[in-house]
Amino acid sequence: MTGARFDLLTEPWIPVLDMDGHTDEVGLEEVLLRAHELRRVTGETPPMTAALHRLVLALLHRAYGPETEQDWGLLWRDSELPRTRLRKYLAGRESRFDLFDPVRPFFQCPALAKLTPSTPFKLVPHRAVGNKVTLFDHTTASDRVTMTPAEAARWLVTAQAFDPGGMKTPFSKDKSSQKAPCNTMGVVLVEGATLKETLLLNALRYHPELERPGGTWPEDHPVWEQPEPPGGEPETSQVSRGWTDLLTWQSRRVLLFHRQVDDRQVVDGVVVTPGNRYDGSAADEEKMAAFRKPVGTNGKPIKDKPLLPVRLHPVRGVWRHSVELLLTDRREENKSRLRPRTLRAIPDRVVHGYIPADAVYTLRVFGQQLDDNNSVVEAYLEDHVPAPVALLRADDEVLGALIGTAISLADNAGAALRHMERDYRKDKRAQPSSTLDLDYWPKLTASFATLLTDLATAWPEGTASTAAVTAWSRHVRRTAQHAAQRWTGGAQAEAADLLLMAKYLDRFLTRLTTLIRTFDHEVRNYIPREEE
């Protein structure tokens, strides 16, 4: 394991898409210095994409700041990120980015060298390893498998952000590991037209000596700046030193084992042990997530409950959280909900003339679903919602109420569908086994995106776009009716069962009509009379 190098600054390992749609792999230097020529980072899985962005953001903050809004504006207006500032930051730190450095291997713990390695695919959730069985992968523990250094680096970074919890190989005695911090939330990324725009839209004012952003202290630094490599024993109940510390949080102790095959290096083993347990307040420290208080049966936030991160659902779209993600509410911000911190700066950047008021960005949200024991990945998740700057700037209770009412219509119609199927199954003394959600929720996403962009165009001019609101209610009605009809038409049943289904279908259609009428009545309060 001596003598080999894999320099993450210059070796290609980060997968990207260029402006012509071609895929490529670049190093950490190139991903920043060519960011104006690239469209986006494209990981093998949604969690990998999120983890790589968080790594690159940590490097950007340490190299470029920006310490003030003026600094941010200069970076935004420059055609590319300045080379000299990045090279100045990296001078003397090059060895800290060597994946195989014998003293300070990147994102790793050399103290684990005394332990027996497992297959490197232990880093990959969808590969079968030991008793972790997956449906389509037939790798066994006895198979001799290897990774390229680039693959291993990507999965190493992803594991530190998204590794599930559960039992790990102990360094000495401690086997229990907390799930990595990004498992608790949907990681929100504001996406612009180029990777440079995306990185800067997600870059906050960064000045640790002035404790910016909030929750960042003067001693904040990413893991590669630590004076000593981490010890084998995990550090428990830790809070972060600040934003770049959290972006590079070491939730695992990991060491890659490598060897030479012909003229190339391969990674043929890995040790993964418990790492640092995060005991901070995510609502105070995490900048790439939205938070909300749990809602009671009355639809209102429960006062004595803490803010919890907004998470992705495998079927229901993230657009259902558009109010929490997009809209300003000075009375409720930090109380019942909290937007991603990256969105708070956008209105000020419009005022300073850096960002056009009519721009429309995209919120891409990444996550994964774990099993009930938080030890196995069941699904990778990714979703998106349009983020018109006009909505991000709007501090208008009426607009928030209108969008919230539109989301409630979809929620209520979805609940009515589930009640229809549940009541039928209860009458038949059968277990619920419906696919109604799949026939309903995914088909609302595009229509809601249209509603948001139409409202963003109309609202600054003092109108609420009656046509857009009406189109939304009609689409919800049609989609719910179609889902219900597919439910009845797809059932193999006797005549008596069909009569029973028809009874519950009729109840549902009556309920749906009432919901639409109630929605039409409520939205009249939000639409100017002259537009009516």
Side-chain angles (χ1 to χ4, degrees):
M1 292 181 59
T2 60
R5 294 188 75 246
F6 190 81
D7 182 1
L8 296 172
L9 294 174
T10 57
E11 294 282 356
W13 68 283
I14 299 175
V16 294
L17 190 72
D18 69 18
M19 300 303 289
D20 295 322
H22 301 134
T23 58
D24 198 0
E25 290 184 7
V26 298
L28 273 170
E29 277 192 12
E30 195 173 357
V31 81
L32 287 173
L33 298 181
R34 283 188 56 208
H36 58 291
E37 301 174 350
L38 301 175
R39 179 69 185 92
R40 58 166 63 107
V41 171
T42 56
E44 191 173 321
T45 64
M48 181 183 287
T49 301
L52 291 174
H53 273 104
R54 288 170 74 87
L55 172 68
V56 175
L57 274 172
L59 178 57
L60 180 142
H61 276 307
R62 296 303 284 181
Y64 297 107
E67 294 183 357
T68 66
E69 277 300 296
Q70 290 72 26
D71 292 340
W72 187 93
L74 290 173
L75 292 172
W76 181 261
R77 287 174 170 170
D78 282 349
S79 59
E80 57 189 79
L81 294 171
R83 294 173 180 267
T84 53
R85 289 175 65 178
L86 179 61
R87 302 253 163 88
K88 181 180 179 181
Y89 169 75
L90 293 174
R93 294 191 173 97
E94 292 86 354
S95 65
R96 299 295 179 89
F97 294 88
D98 183 357
L99 192 66
F100 300 143
D101 187 83
V103 178
R104 292 292 302 273
F106 182 80
F107 260 48
Q108 296 167 74
C109 174
L112 305 187
K114 68 179 187 179
L115 301 181
T116 302
S118 302
T119 166
F121 285 110
K122 195 168 186 177
L123 293 172
V124 186
H126 57 262
R127 296 298 295 263
V129 177
N131 62 358
K132 187 183 74 176
V133 178
T134 62
L135 182 59
F136 298 107
D137 180 53
H138 304 291
T139 306
T140 68
S142 61
D143 289 339
R144 182 74 179 223
V145 293
T146 63
M147 285 184 179
T148 67
E151 290 173 317
R154 293 193 292 269
W155 285 111
L156 169 66
V157 171
T158 306
Q160 295 288 15
F162 283 95
D163 196 52
M167 297 296 106
K168 307 293 180 186
T169 300
F171 179 72
S172 56
K173 295 181 180 180
D174 189 358
K175 296 182 179 181
S176 177
S177 65
Q178 181 189 59
K179 61 185 177 183
C182 288
N183 282 300
T184 65
M185 61 191 179
V187 177
V188 179
L189 188 76
V190 189
E191 185 175 67
T194 65
L195 180 58
K196 175 177 178 282
E197 284 193 4
T198 297
L199 292 173
L200 289 176
L201 286 169
N202 292 278
L204 303 165
R205 285 186 295 169
Y206 181 75
H207 197 323
E209 288 74 21
L210 297 181
E211 299 179 5
R212 292 177 181 164
T216 296
W217 312 106
E219 60 270 23
D220 176 57
H221 57 259
V223 64
W224 59 78
E225 289 186 33
Q226 288 182 3
E228 299 292 337
E233 292 294 346
E235 300 174 30
T236 60
S237 300
Q238 278 198 316
V239 296
S240 74
R241 291 180 292 260
W243 185 218
T244 65
D245 182 24
L246 193 59
L247 286 172
T248 60
W249 190 261
Q250 300 293 282
S251 64
R252 299 291 177 265
R253 297 288 187 262
V254 182
L255 184 62
L256 301 174
F257 289 73
H258 57 94
R259 60 187 171 93
Q260 186 156 334
V261 176
D262 298 328
D263 59 347
R264 62 192 179 93
Q265 288 290 323
V266 298
V267 174
D268 63 349
V270 67
V271 173
V272 182
T273 70
N276 298 342
R277 293 178 180 269
Y278 177 67
D279 198 33
S281 169
D284 294 328
E285 298 183 9
E286 178 58 53
K287 322 301 181 191
M288 297 178 72
F291 296 82
R292 67 193 295 252
K293 282 198 172 186
V295 177
T297 55
N298 59 0
K300 295 182 179 180
I302 304 173
K303 291 183 179 180
D304 58 347
K305 295 292 184 180
L307 289 166
L308 299 177
V310 169
R311 304 181 66 181
L312 288 176
H313 187 279
V315 176
R316 302 175 195 176
V318 72
W319 57 264
R320 294 174 63 247
H321 300 292
S322 293
V323 173
E324 293 92 341
L325 287 167
L326 298 173
L327 301 182
T328 302
D329 187 334
R330 297 189 189 279
R331 294 186 308 170
E332 295 303 321
E333 194 83 358
N334 296 320
K335 295 178 182 177
S336 66
R337 61 186 177 88
L338 185 63
R339 292 190 300 171
R341 308 306 203 281
T342 47
L343 297 184
R344 292 185 179 186
I346 289 179
D348 289 339
R349 290 165 181 170
V350 174
V351 172
H352 288 120
Y354 303 136
I355 291 176
D358 60 351
V360 178
Y361 299 116
T362 300
L363 294 192
R364 296 178 70 198
V365 188
F366 309 91
Q368 64 185 14
Q369 180 176 310
L370 304 181
D371 68 349
D372 292 340
N373 295 322
N374 291 319
S375 60
V376 175
V377 175
E378 292 187 335
Y380 298 131
L381 305 172
E382 180 177 352
D383 206 347
H384 65 276
V385 65
V389 169
L391 292 188
L392 298 178
R393 297 181 67 202
D395 184 8
D396 193 316
E397 294 179 16
V398 173
L399 177 61
L402 175 59
I403 294 176
T405 302
I407 295 169
S408 293
L409 173 63
D411 282 341
N412 292 335
L417 279 168
R418 291 192 300 276
H419 290 159
M420 173 188 69
E421 195 268 348
R422 182 198 64 193
D423 292 344
Y424 167 78
R425 294 285 175 181
K426 186 177 179 181
D427 222 343
K428 289 285 296 177
R429 293 184 173 86
Q431 293 296 319
S433 58
S434 174
T435 59
L436 276 172
D437 275 358
L438 289 173
D439 283 330
Y440 176 67
W441 287 107
K443 297 176 182 178
L444 299 179
T445 301
S447 182
F448 190 82
T450 300
L451 173 66
L452 286 182
T453 52
D454 285 350
L455 288 176
T457 301
W459 205 263
E461 300 178 5
T463 63
S465 186
T466 303
V469 174
T470 302
W472 167 248
S473 66
R474 288 176 177 171
H475 183 76
V476 170
R477 183 172 198 156
R478 286 195 303 269
T479 304
Q481 287 174 335
H482 180 72
Q485 288 161 358
R486 279 179 60 86
W487 174 70
T488 56
Q492 299 293 325
E494 301 293 333
D497 292 334
L498 292 175
L499 288 174
L500 189 61
M501 275 189 162
K503 180 181 78 171
Y504 288 112
L505 175 63
D506 185 62
R507 286 184 185 178
F508 163 73
L509 294 174
T510 300
R511 174 62 179 153
L512 182 62
T513 298
T514 302
L515 290 173
I516 297 295
R517 285 176 180 169
T518 302
F519 173 78
D520 291 341
H521 176 75
E522 288 180 350
V523 297
R524 290 196 190 112
N525 298 321
Y526 313 130
I527 297 176
R529 291 189 179 277
E530 58 271 20
E531 190 178 345
E532 291 183 25

